[in-house]
Amino acid sequence: QVQLVQSGAEVKKPGASVRVSCKASGYTFTNYYMHWVRQAPGQGLEWMGIINPSDGRTTYAQKFQARVTMTRDTSTSTVYLDLIYLRSEDTAVYYCASPIAAAGGGFDNWGQGTLVTVSS
Amino acid sequence: DIQMTQSPSSLSAAVGDRVAITCRASQTISIYLNWYQQKPGKAPKLLIYAASNLQGGVPSRFSGSGSGTDFTLTISSLQPEDFATYYCQQSHSTPRTFGQGTKVEIK
């Protein structure tokens, strides 16, 4: 079955950077785009960007353009989210999600989420 | 960017009630509209994709309708396990924007 397994929780200081990983299994990794979505405590869902695992091409939300990088490693079926210059407002749960079986782009598979806490 | 506006932001309902949540897009998105359910501490779960298609394993009391800019998620008979927050999301274009969420609480 499809699984997206994310790396563990992180605690970072303001100004630092963080890397979150998402390892995919149970399907052909390069056939489906991967998205990153975050959710600050008590807040809604915020789309961050998308990566095509086949060629590595990315599109980022304007808000994160200067601070985010999404990459992939096809040998391990893993995508990575790097966020730099962290600030307290980046404290959130970060999810990877992929539209695999649902037509029209609905995210039918999600990772379990990675809590990133930014605090001095 | 396409803005997604849900209403209401929250509602109180009793078990057995019929509940409707609306979502409006700031521009036409055809049927590229998805609905998610999220419970505390859990990842969102896809309920409806492409406006009206029920995701596998989702109970038939959930239904979606609409096209263009106006969409509705309906729960025909609210069950205890349905108390959660619901989000719409457009998949017409990037950024893949979400609505602000509707929290469904027990009356």
Side-chain angles (χ1 to χ4, degrees):
Chain A
Q1 74 283 18
V2 174
Q3 278 196 298
L4 301 177
V5 179
Q6 298 184 222
S7 49
E10 302 267 10
V11 179
K12 297 291 183 180
K13 293 192 182 304
S17 60
V18 69
R19 165 169 279 197
V20 180
S21 67
C22 170
K23 183 174 176 58
S25 62
Y27 70 100
T28 302
F29 175 68
T30 51
N31 282 2
Y32 301 95
Y33 289 86
M34 192 74 77
H35 300 252
W36 287 94
V37 175
R38 78 176 187 179
Q39 185 171 39
Q43 302 302 307
L45 301 168
E46 183 175 32
W47 185 85
M48 299 182 70
I50 180 176
I51 182 167
N52 181 345
S54 179
D55 60 13
R57 293 176 68 177
T58 56
T59 300
Y60 304 136
Q62 181 70 23
K63 174 178 179 177
F64 302 104
Q65 189 82 29
R67 298 194 297 132
V68 73
T69 304
M70 298 175 189
T71 56
R72 93 295 189 211
D73 181 342
T74 55
S75 69
T76 60
S77 299
T78 302
V79 295
Y80 298 95
L81 170 73
D82 290 299
L83 191 59
I84 64 174
Y85 305 131
L86 291 167
R87 36 210 190 221
S88 58
E89 310 89 88
D90 294 318
T91 294
V93 176
Y94 290 76
Y95 294 102
C96 57
S98 189
I100 294 175
F107 298 168
D108 54 346
N109 290 275
W110 293 71
Q112 82 276 21
T114 298
L115 176 62
V116 175
T117 303
V118 183
S119 174
S120 55
Chain B
D1 296 1
I2 299 174
Q3 308 303 315
M4 306 301 294
T5 304
Q6 282 181 241
S7 60
S9 296
S10 64
L11 65 89
S12 294
V15 172
D17 282 354
R18 182 181 183 89
V19 167
I21 300 168
T22 64
C23 180
R24 174 164 287 177
S26 61
Q27 62 191 75
T28 184
I29 57 171
S30 184
I31 60 167
Y32 292 98
L33 190 283
N34 311 296
W35 290 98
Y36 300 88
Q37 177 194 66
Q38 188 180 32
K39 296 181 178 179
K42 299 294 187 182
K45 172 187 174 183
L46 180 66
L47 298 176
I48 301 284
Y49 63 92
S52 62
N53 294 273
L54 196 65
Q55 174 68 354
V58 174
S60 59
R61 61 181 179 272
F62 291 92
S63 64
S65 63
S67 66
T69 59
D70 294 305
F71 302 86
T72 302
L73 172 70
T74 302
I75 309 172
S76 60
S77 176
L78 201 64
Q79 297 302 300
E81 59 268 31
D82 301 337
F83 292 96
T85 301
Y86 294 83
Y87 294 92
C88 64
Q89 179 216 20
Q90 63 83 15
S91 49
H92 177 272
S93 58
T94 55
R96 298 275 202 267
T97 39
F98 290 88
Q100 81 277 17
T102 296
K103 188 173 185 179
V104 176
E105 299 176 301
I106 301 172
K107 180 185 284 185

mmCIF file of all heavy atoms in Angstrom, chain B residues 1-19:
data_model
loop_
_atom_site.group_PDB
_atom_site.id
_atom_site.type_symbol
_atom_site.label_atom_id
_atom_site.label_comp_id
_atom_site.label_asym_id
_atom_site.label_seq_id
_atom_site.Cartn_x
_atom_site.Cartn_y
_atom_site.Cartn_z
ATOM 1 N N ASP B 1 -3.425 34.630 -7.531
ATOM 2 C CA ASP B 1 -3.769 33.425 -6.793
ATOM 3 C C ASP B 1 -5.293 33.315 -6.635
ATOM 4 O O ASP B 1 -5.986 34.311 -6.501
ATOM 5 C CB ASP B 1 -3.126 33.429 -5.396
ATOM 6 C CG ASP B 1 -1.620 33.408 -5.439
ATOM 7 O OD1 ASP B 1 -1.049 33.412 -6.543
ATOM 8 O OD2 ASP B 1 -1.011 33.408 -4.351
ATOM 9 N N ILE B 2 -5.785 32.092 -6.641
ATOM 10 C CA ILE B 2 -7.209 31.859 -6.434
ATOM 11 C C ILE B 2 -7.488 31.803 -4.937
ATOM 12 O O ILE B 2 -6.854 31.035 -4.213
ATOM 13 C CB ILE B 2 -7.644 30.547 -7.122
ATOM 14 C CG1 ILE B 2 -7.394 30.638 -8.628
ATOM 15 C CG2 ILE B 2 -9.113 30.256 -6.819
ATOM 16 C CD1 ILE B 2 -7.661 29.359 -9.385
ATOM 17 N N GLN B 3 -8.416 32.629 -4.481
ATOM 18 C CA GLN B 3 -8.802 32.644 -3.071
ATOM 19 C C GLN B 3 -10.002 31.726 -2.876
ATOM 20 O O GLN B 3 -10.948 31.748 -3.682
ATOM 21 C CB GLN B 3 -9.153 34.058 -2.627
ATOM 22 C CG GLN B 3 -8.100 35.096 -2.954
ATOM 23 C CD GLN B 3 -6.732 34.761 -2.373
ATOM 24 O OE1 GLN B 3 -6.619 34.363 -1.212
ATOM 25 N NE2 GLN B 3 -5.687 34.924 -3.176
ATOM 26 N N MET B 4 -9.970 30.955 -1.807
ATOM 27 C CA MET B 4 -11.056 30.042 -1.481
ATOM 28 C C MET B 4 -11.693 30.493 -0.174
ATOM 29 O O MET B 4 -11.002 30.655 0.837
ATOM 30 C CB MET B 4 -10.545 28.609 -1.345
ATOM 31 C CG MET B 4 -9.763 28.103 -2.542
ATOM 32 S SD MET B 4 -10.687 28.112 -4.072
ATOM 33 C CE MET B 4 -11.938 26.874 -3.717
ATOM 34 N N THR B 5 -12.991 30.711 -0.201
ATOM 35 C CA THR B 5 -13.704 31.210 0.975
ATOM 36 C C THR B 5 -14.769 30.217 1.384
ATOM 37 O O THR B 5 -15.687 29.919 0.618
ATOM 38 C CB THR B 5 -14.354 32.574 0.677
ATOM 39 O OG1 THR B 5 -13.348 33.494 0.221
ATOM 40 C CG2 THR B 5 -15.012 33.123 1.927
ATOM 41 N N GLN B 6 -14.631 29.701 2.604
ATOM 42 C CA GLN B 6 -15.597 28.754 3.131
ATOM 43 C C GLN B 6 -16.571 29.453 4.058
ATOM 44 O O GLN B 6 -16.221 30.420 4.739
ATOM 45 C CB GLN B 6 -14.888 27.658 3.947
ATOM 46 C CG GLN B 6 -14.223 26.600 3.136
ATOM 47 C CD GLN B 6 -13.555 25.531 4.004
ATOM 48 O OE1 GLN B 6 -12.337 25.364 3.918
ATOM 49 N NE2 GLN B 6 -14.330 24.827 4.817
ATOM 50 N N SER B 7 -17.775 28.917 4.120
ATOM 51 C CA SER B 7 -18.731 29.377 5.130
ATOM 52 C C SER B 7 -19.636 28.217 5.528
ATOM 53 O O SER B 7 -19.956 27.363 4.704
ATOM 54 C CB SER B 7 -19.544 30.555 4.605
ATOM 55 O OG SER B 7 -20.261 30.175 3.460
ATOM 56 N N PRO B 8 -20.011 28.189 6.820
ATOM 57 C CA PRO B 8 -19.527 29.092 7.864
ATOM 58 C C PRO B 8 -18.130 28.705 8.333
ATOM 59 O O PRO B 8 -17.609 27.672 7.915
ATOM 60 C CB PRO B 8 -20.557 28.865 8.979
ATOM 61 C CG PRO B 8 -20.935 27.425 8.827
ATOM 62 C CD PRO B 8 -20.918 27.159 7.338
ATOM 63 N N SER B 9 -17.544 29.492 9.218
ATOM 64 C CA SER B 9 -16.248 29.148 9.805
ATOM 65 C C SER B 9 -16.405 28.061 10.856
ATOM 66 O O SER B 9 -15.473 27.284 11.094
ATOM 67 C CB SER B 9 -15.601 30.387 10.422
ATOM 68 O OG SER B 9 -15.327 31.333 9.434
ATOM 69 N N SER B 10 -17.550 28.033 11.489
ATOM 70 C CA SER B 10 -17.854 26.979 12.443
ATOM 71 C C SER B 10 -19.351 26.791 12.515
ATOM 72 O O SER B 10 -20.115 27.691 12.128
ATOM 73 C CB SER B 10 -17.300 27.310 13.834
ATOM 74 O OG SER B 10 -17.932 28.453 14.362
ATOM 75 N N LEU B 11 -19.761 25.623 12.968
ATOM 76 C CA LEU B 11 -21.180 25.359 13.148
ATOM 77 C C LEU B 11 -21.358 24.322 14.241
ATOM 78 O O LEU B 11 -20.478 23.482 14.468
ATOM 79 C CB LEU B 11 -21.829 24.910 11.840
ATOM 80 C CG LEU B 11 -21.382 23.581 11.224
ATOM 81 C CD1 LEU B 11 -22.207 22.414 11.751
ATOM 82 C CD2 LEU B 11 -21.476 23.639 9.702
ATOM 83 N N SER B 12 -22.497 24.404 14.893
ATOM 84 C CA SER B 12 -22.877 23.410 15.896
ATOM 85 C C SER B 12 -24.064 22.622 15.377
ATOM 86 O O SER B 12 -25.034 23.216 14.885
ATOM 87 C CB SER B 12 -23.256 24.092 17.216
ATOM 88 O OG SER B 12 -22.146 24.720 17.785
ATOM 89 N N ALA B 13 -23.975 21.328 15.454
ATOM 90 C CA ALA B 13 -25.044 20.480 14.940
ATOM 91 C C ALA B 13 -25.171 19.235 15.803
ATOM 92 O O ALA B 13 -24.240 18.860 16.521
ATOM 93 C CB ALA B 13 -24.760 20.100 13.495
ATOM 94 N N ALA B 14 -26.331 18.620 15.725
ATOM 95 C CA ALA B 14 -26.601 17.411 16.498
ATOM 96 C C ALA B 14 -26.435 16.174 15.627
ATOM 97 O O ALA B 14 -26.520 16.254 14.390
ATOM 98 C CB ALA B 14 -28.015 17.465 17.067
ATOM 99 N N VAL B 15 -26.202 15.064 16.287
ATOM 100 C CA VAL B 15 -26.149 13.793 15.557
ATOM 101 C C VAL B 15 -27.464 13.603 14.810
ATOM 102 O O VAL B 15 -28.545 13.838 15.364
ATOM 103 C CB VAL B 15 -25.897 12.630 16.528
ATOM 104 C CG1 VAL B 15 -26.028 11.287 15.807
ATOM 105 C CG2 VAL B 15 -24.503 12.752 17.145
ATOM 106 N N GLY B 16 -27.342 13.248 13.542
ATOM 107 C CA GLY B 16 -28.518 13.062 12.704
ATOM 108 C C GLY B 16 -28.872 14.264 11.853
ATOM 109 O O GLY B 16 -29.673 14.145 10.920
ATOM 110 N N ASP B 17 -28.296 15.416 12.164
ATOM 111 C CA ASP B 17 -28.590 16.627 11.384
ATOM 112 C C ASP B 17 -27.992 16.532 9.984
ATOM 113 O O ASP B 17 -26.982 15.863 9.753
ATOM 114 C CB ASP B 17 -28.012 17.864 12.070
ATOM 115 C CG ASP B 17 -28.858 18.335 13.240
ATOM 116 O OD1 ASP B 17 -29.954 17.776 13.462
ATOM 117 O OD2 ASP B 17 -28.418 19.282 13.929
ATOM 118 N N ARG B 18 -28.606 17.284 9.074
ATOM 119 C CA ARG B 18 -28.048 17.472 7.745
ATOM 120 C C ARG B 18 -27.223 18.747 7.785
ATOM 121 O O ARG B 18 -27.691 19.780 8.267
ATOM 122 C CB ARG B 18 -29.165 17.600 6.705
ATOM 123 C CG ARG B 18 -28.695 17.748 5.275
ATOM 124 C CD ARG B 18 -29.900 17.885 4.355
ATOM 125 N NE ARG B 18 -29.548 17.972 2.948
ATOM 126 C CZ ARG B 18 -29.409 16.915 2.154
ATOM 127 N NH1 ARG B 18 -29.581 15.697 2.642
ATOM 128 N NH2 ARG B 18 -29.101 17.075 0.875
ATOM 129 N N VAL B 19 -25.999 18.665 7.295
ATOM 130 C CA VAL B 19 -25.066 19.782 7.389
ATOM 131 C C VAL B 19 -24.554 20.127 5.989
ATOM 132 O O VAL B 19 -24.240 19.231 5.195
ATOM 133 C CB VAL B 19 -23.876 19.408 8.307
ATOM 134 C CG1 VAL B 19 -22.746 20.409 8.178
ATOM 135 C CG2 VAL B 19 -24.336 19.310 9.754
#
